[in-house]
Amino acid sequence: MPQMHLAAFLIAGPVAHSHALWRHPQTQLGFLQPAYYQQIAQVLERGKFDLVFFADRLAVSDRYGGNLQVGVQYGDQDTFRLDPVPVLSMMAASTKYIGLGATRSTTYYHPYQVARTFATLDHLSSGRAAWNVVTSVNNAEAQNFGLPEHLEHDRRYDRADEFLELTLKLWQSWQADALIFDQQAGILADPTKIDYVHHQGEWFQSRGPLNVPRSPQGHPVIIQAGSSGRGKEFAARWAEVIFTIQPSLTLAQQFYADMKARLVAYGRSPNSCKILLAVMPFIGATEAIAEAKRTEHNQLVYPLVGLSTLSNHLNYDFSQHDLDKPLEAVSVQGMRGIYDLIAHLSQTELLTLAEIGRRYGASVLVPQLIGTAVEIADQLEQFFHAQACDGFVISPAYLPGAFEEFVELVIPELQNRSLFRDEYTGKTLRNHLNLCNSPEEVAL
């Protein structure tokens, strides 16, 4: 019987999809402390999660109103974020099995840096690393790297394609058996099994080889979340895990069918990429208690803080529009898939811009599930069996309690239905995801 995969969503800072997270009375304010992240990782590993991954961006964004006022005062997604890779290193040291994913941008890093960073993380975690590939979204990031504005939407995916091509060449520049470590003979490695890459492209040049040996997984698992047309093509070519936000079962089914067909069009097996649907559970002893928990959470969100994050995501200043009127049609260069969802909700539910801000601040459109543990499991099972996803990204409303409740209450219910593993059966993230496992097999 097929079993679902589970990932946990985090940002190394005070906000996740929930902008109420840092205000919630059950949240522990340990966002700058290593023990905080280690505790979360241990909770998730106790629940046998496949992986935890960190979203990231490279700026304190000021898109809304052209200043920092709203975002910093009320705590939007980009008020502050720690670099997730060192955070994952701390988590790796305190766990044995759970996969560990971090975001790196193909627009503001070089392939050699990224290849080296994630090969190192894969070694130090014994094969549990994942790279969440992003192209970045707004001008604030560009200006931090000395550029006046962010690359145009499709061009940054063109750059990302070449970025992945070169990064994979670098990861493959060491054959799996290149290291010898013959202490008596004094031979460290076989130079015939280490190759230059000599890459010359439109965006990048690199001689190689990488100065990190082939890692346990061959290369880290590739995560992607593109939802525009161009983003979907990129994901179909490269991704091994796709993270998606879909507001309904029907839209999730359509996305799932579309992406699986795109995989086949690239000559890939539909099972070579796992599609994980984001959800935010509120669990109670009764449905009424769960609903009260969601209401308490959502009432902590200021509409303007949601619009600040939305402006950052879409690279568009929504402060120039009337809060009491519906969303106007605008042209954006940021996350076009998010804009399409916002426009769809605005039209179908007749939301004002302020209502959109509150909705976006509550969950960044991640569906909020309410119910008892049995009812939450029922909802997850419905989506899973309806071919809407291969599993779920669990997004917390408060920390670490939301993950603790899910692990203690919902995981056993899923296990009783044989929908989720009872124990880890392998040690690498590829094992957990049922992806190809040996370095020789790993070649996108």
Side-chain angles (χ1 to χ4, degrees), residues 92-326:
S94 62
T95 57
K96 292 182 178 180
Y97 297 101
I98 191 166
L100 304 162
T103 297
R104 278 290 185 265
S105 170
T106 58
T107 304
Y108 300 114
Y109 287 90
H110 190 279
Y112 198 95
Q113 293 172 296
V114 169
R116 190 166 186 255
T117 295
F118 283 95
T120 300
L121 181 62
D122 205 44
H123 278 293
L124 297 183
S125 66
S126 300
R128 296 186 280 145
W131 171 25
N132 180 38
V133 181
V134 300
T135 62
S136 294
V137 297
N138 60 42
N139 291 343
E141 292 173 289
Q143 290 158 10
N144 282 346
F145 288 84
L147 301 172
E149 61 184 12
H150 194 45
L151 277 174
E152 186 273 331
H153 181 274
D154 286 3
R155 285 295 284 161
R156 66 178 188 254
Y157 278 107
D158 294 340
R159 176 186 167 100
D161 275 322
E162 188 182 334
F163 196 112
L164 266 291
E165 291 169 7
L166 175 51
T167 307
L168 285 166
K169 289 178 184 177
L170 290 165
W171 280 325
Q172 294 163 1
S173 63
W174 284 67
Q175 295 181 32
D177 57 351
L179 281 178
I180 296 174
F181 284 130
D182 186 333
Q183 291 177 305
Q184 280 197 329
I187 298 174
L188 176 66
D190 184 345
T192 69
K193 295 184 177 182
I194 304 170
D195 301 314
Y196 293 101
V197 301
H198 294 303
H199 180 89
Q200 296 285 331
E202 177 185 0
W203 299 94
F204 304 107
Q205 294 80 43
S206 182
R207 186 191 66 167
L210 192 64
N211 64 344
V212 179
R214 183 77 67 99
S215 73
Q217 294 188 107
H219 66 70
V221 171
I222 304 298
I223 306 173
Q224 224 278 317
S227 55
S228 66
R230 183 66 177 88
K232 289 178 184 178
E233 284 300 299
F234 181 83
R237 182 179 179 187
W238 300 111
E240 297 170 288
V241 173
I242 293 174
F243 157 57
T244 185
I245 298 173
Q246 301 294 333
S248 70
L249 175 61
T250 298
L251 289 176
Q253 288 172 313
Q254 292 173 358
F255 181 87
Y256 186 84
D258 180 26
M259 289 309 308
K260 295 294 185 177
R262 289 175 191 255
L263 290 169
V264 173
Y266 274 93
R268 300 179 60 190
S269 163
N271 294 323
S272 66
C273 180
K274 310 302 180 182
I275 297 175
L276 305 184
L277 182 67
V279 295
M280 184 183 293
F282 291 86
I283 309 161
T286 66
E287 184 176 348
I289 292 172
E291 180 61 66
K293 290 173 71 173
R294 177 170 69 172
T295 299
E296 176 192 23
H297 169 273
N298 290 353
Q299 286 177 344
L300 295 173
V301 177
Y302 290 111
L304 289 185
V305 78
L307 291 177
S308 179
T309 291
L310 182 61
S311 294
N312 300 340
H313 285 176
L314 301 187
N315 200 22
Y316 181 87
D317 182 7
F318 282 97
S319 71
Q320 58 193 303
H321 296 279
D322 191 330
L323 292 174
D324 297 321
K325 292 184 178 179

Side-chain angles (χ1 to χ4, degrees), residues 15-153:
V15 176
H17 291 118
S18 162
H19 291 58
L21 189 149
W22 70 272
R23 293 191 66 197
H24 199 282
Q26 293 187 47
T27 287
Q28 299 174 16
L29 300 176
F31 306 116
L32 300 175
Q33 303 300 319
Y36 175 78
Y37 297 102
Q38 290 175 323
Q39 178 188 1
I40 290 170
Q42 290 166 348
V43 167
L44 295 168
E45 185 166 88
R46 189 168 73 244
K48 317 304 177 189
F49 270 60
D50 293 70
L51 75 152
V52 54
F53 78 93
F54 286 84
D56 195 29
R57 268 191 296 282
L58 300 168
V60 178
S61 294
D62 56 0
R63 202 68 176 94
Y64 189 82
N67 59 63
L68 304 175
Q69 181 68 33
V70 169
V72 170
Q73 181 172 340
Y74 297 117
D76 72 7
Q77 261 194 354
D78 293 330
T79 301
F80 75 82
R81 303 177 185 224
L82 304 182
D83 184 331
V85 172
V87 175
L88 288 181
S89 296
M90 301 297 296
M91 296 170 103
S94 62
T95 57
K96 292 182 178 180
Y97 297 101
I98 191 166
L100 304 162
T103 297
R104 278 290 185 265
S105 170
T106 58
T107 304
Y108 300 114
Y109 287 90
H110 190 279
Y112 198 95
Q113 293 172 296
V114 169
R116 190 166 186 255
T117 295
F118 283 95
T120 300
L121 181 62
D122 205 44
H123 278 293
L124 297 183
S125 66
S126 300
R128 296 186 280 145
W131 171 25
N132 180 38
V133 181
V134 300
T135 62
S136 294
V137 297
N138 60 42
N139 291 343
E141 292 173 289
Q143 290 158 10
N144 282 346
F145 288 84
L147 301 172
E149 61 184 12
H150 194 45
L151 277 174
E152 186 273 331
H153 181 274

